[in-house]
Amino acid sequence: MGYKARRLPEHLGRAGWNAILGDAPPPRPLEADATADFAVIGAGFAGLSAARRLATRAPGARIAVLEAGRIAESTAGRNSGFMIDLPHELTSEDYAGAGDDKAIIALNREAQTFARDAVEAYAIRRDFFDPAGKVNGAASAAADAHNRSYAAHLAALGEPCEMLDAQAMRDLTGSRHYRSGLFTPGTVMLQPAGYIRGLAAGLAQGGVAVHENSPVTGFTRAGDTWTLTTPKARLTAGKVILAVNGHLESFGVEPGRLMQIFLYAVMTPELDVDQLARVGGQSRWGITPSDPMGTTVRRIDPGQGGHRIVTRTCATLKPGMVPTRQGLQRAARIMQRKFDSRFPALAGLRMEHAWAGHLCLTMNSVSVMREIEAGLYSAAVQNGLGTARGTLTGIGAADLALGQTSEITRHFSAEPRPTRLVPRPLLDIGANAVLRLRERRARQE
């Protein structure tokens, strides 16, 4: 059976998290035919986690990772960098999950432990993996109520949290925008591009072949062997892991069941001494909105790439998986207004970076982590939770490829298939209308 990519990833705007790290080492594309025991397609959180799991569980195995572009320039470098341990259901009003939240928390913490071990093993900068916790910010009475509801849910689970009043939020952020916040201590604040670059470099030093600028345009099976085609060469492997998130659909897997969404972000230039004094607040923090359709804000310091502020919001459904310049420009205007309202002392500051980031959701919030057919596995569909769930699905797919079972494989293997979506163009019109409506409702957030 053969699989052919109908489209390849297209990115809009330089990934700011990657840009502020400076130039990466030159890429090593796949330029000559090669063989491997395991081939991993995609070098994001899922793909690199799968490669690390394979390397640690099958010492001596030949492992190759094929990335369409540059490491950390794809979706792995375009997220907000929150590796969250608690339930974070984006389709709910207050992030509370509908399933077994204790099991989800245990799995998310397993992902954090896996990432922490990689940081230690590969000497990744500790600033790129900061277990500082995060805050759900609330600017309205409705958002404050969401926070209190979520706090009650966490209390019932036995999870610690702390309500912050307006003064505490101002002390943290320097902003008068927030009336309250809910601090939860278990989130890891990543420099996502720095972590991914370090993970890829560590794997390469350990003998994993990591090939950038090597998009897989198709692959076929003959007997027990898969042949993957790239623009310059072919790779033959016994087993293949598809760690391509929403591009799973590009290869013909789960068509009509995946929602392709883009979120947008902007990043300031490095703030000077005067600007820092005008902003006030602490030098490193992260705020997710109490309403999932609100605005995420992070402030970082030189340990993560300079004194900068990142703003992320706006969502559009793009079944073709191609963002538009007009969409990014619209989002940038909205994010400028949101930045100005939070930090009036810096109002009008021109952003240095603006980008679109692709994520994939399903109507029933399931991932696609399973054996598609003999020797072919998927680690995909992260439902907007790419750092933790991507790590988990990568680990799980590697376990399946090794013939092993774990709590991760049992959890994802028990999930149903993604729910079928309504046909286009009804999906495009309806989903984007709902997104705009929810954005307006969450505009203060």
Side-chain angles (χ1 to χ4, degrees):
M1 184 174 181
Y3 297 81
K4 184 177 181 180
R6 291 194 294 271
R7 59 181 67 85
L8 295 175
E10 294 188 33
H11 304 298
L12 186 60
R14 180 81 193 274
W17 290 109
N18 199 32
I20 62 178
L21 293 178
D23 293 337
R28 296 180 57 195
L30 183 67
E31 295 183 324
D33 290 355
T35 59
D37 299 305
F38 301 94
V40 180
I41 303 175
F45 282 87
L48 295 179
S49 297
R52 174 163 167 76
R53 185 71 154 197
L54 293 169
T56 55
R57 291 286 178 94
R62 297 169 300 171
I63 304 163
V65 179
L66 301 175
E67 167 59 32
R70 295 302 311 273
I71 297 292
E73 190 59 32
S74 61
T75 54
R78 294 170 182 268
N79 62 71
S80 297
F82 294 83
M83 184 173 271
I84 300 171
D85 59 335
L86 298 175
H88 197 74
E89 177 52 62
L90 299 181
T91 59
S92 75
E93 291 293 325
D94 62 1
Y95 297 116
D100 185 348
D101 282 345
K102 288 189 176 181
I104 294 297
I105 292 169
L107 288 172
N108 288 342
R109 288 175 178 162
E110 188 169 346
Q112 290 179 334
T113 298
F114 180 92
R116 185 179 295 107
D117 290 346
V119 168
E120 295 291 336
Y122 301 144
I124 298 171
R125 284 183 59 172
R126 292 180 183 274
D127 282 321
F128 295 169
F129 186 90
D130 181 12
K134 74 171 182 69
V135 175
N136 274 7
S140 66
D144 180 72
H146 286 167
N147 268 349
R148 294 182 186 281
S149 171
Y150 189 45
H153 181 68
L154 294 179
L157 293 171
E159 293 294 334
C161 61
E162 178 186 0
M163 288 296 300
L164 306 178
D165 62 16
Q167 184 60 51
M169 291 296 289
R170 185 181 179 190
D171 292 342
L172 175 67
T173 67
S175 174
R176 296 179 180 270
H177 182 79
Y178 299 100
R179 69 187 307 169
S180 67
L182 178 66
F183 173 74
T184 51
T187 293
V188 174
M189 305 296 296
L190 299 171
Q191 206 299 9
Y195 170 79
I196 286 295
R197 278 201 199 183
L199 187 52
L203 288 167
Q205 291 171 5
V208 174
V210 179
H211 297 291
E212 299 175 77
N213 292 343
S214 301
V216 174
T217 56
F219 50 96
T220 57
R221 189 181 75 179
D224 295 332
T225 302
W226 292 91
T227 300
L228 289 67
T229 302
T230 72
K232 294 184 178 180
R234 294 184 175 185
L235 176 70
T236 301
K239 295 182 178 181
V240 176
I241 295 175
L242 268 172
V244 292
N245 203 20
H247 277 277
L248 195 67
E249 191 175 38
S250 299
F251 288 98
V253 180
E254 300 293 11
R257 296 175 184 267
L258 310 182
M259 292 188 292
Q260 312 293 347
I261 304 287
F262 281 89
L263 289 178
Y264 304 87
V266 293
M267 177 185 284
T268 68
E270 185 156 15
L271 304 179
D272 61 29
V273 173
D274 176 66
Q275 290 168 327
L276 291 171
R278 281 187 277 150
V279 171
Q282 297 182 22
S283 64
R284 187 187 293 183
W285 46 261
I287 297 225
T288 51
S290 55
D291 185 312
M293 286 301 295
T295 302
T296 297
V297 185
R298 276 193 65 180
R299 180 169 164 184
I300 63 173
D301 59 25
Q304 295 183 330
H307 289 292
R308 302 172 185 269
I309 297 174
V310 181
T311 308
R312 189 184 193 219
T313 193
C314 297
T316 52
L317 179 81
K318 292 288 182 183
M321 289 181 262
V322 179
T324 64
R325 180 67 57 182
Q326 294 88 341
L328 179 57
Q329 290 171 345
R330 169 190 173 272
R333 290 193 297 270
I334 292 172
M335 287 184 286
Q336 185 72 57
R337 293 198 297 269
K338 290 179 178 284
F339 175 86
D340 292 351
S341 69
R342 285 161 173 77
F343 307 104
L346 299 181
L349 177 65
R350 185 179 179 85
M351 298 295 140
E352 183 173 2
H353 300 287
W355 66 90
H358 176 212
L359 53 89
C360 180
L361 285 73
T362 54
M363 288 290 291
N364 51 342
S365 300
V366 299
S367 295
V368 184
M369 197 294 295
R370 60 181 172 84
E371 186 173 22
I372 298 171
E373 63 166 293
L376 177 63
Y377 308 86
S378 62
V381 189
Q382 318 308 350
N383 286 284
L385 308 172
T387 62
R389 196 166 296 178
T391 299
L392 289 170
T393 56
I395 296 170
D399 286 347
L400 291 180
L402 292 167
Q404 300 175 359
T405 60
S406 63
E407 287 301 317
I408 296 173
T409 61
R410 283 188 284 271
H411 171 82
F412 288 105
S413 296
E415 289 187 331
R417 287 186 68 189
T419 303
R420 186 173 293 281
L421 304 175
V422 299
R424 300 184 66 187
L426 294 177
L427 173 65
D428 306 42
I429 297 169
N432 281 305
V434 169
L435 289 171
R436 296 290 83 75
L437 176 61
R438 292 193 64 185
E439 277 183 10
R440 286 195 293 274
R441 289 177 177 172
R443 58 186 177 272
Q444 283 183 272
E445 306 308 317

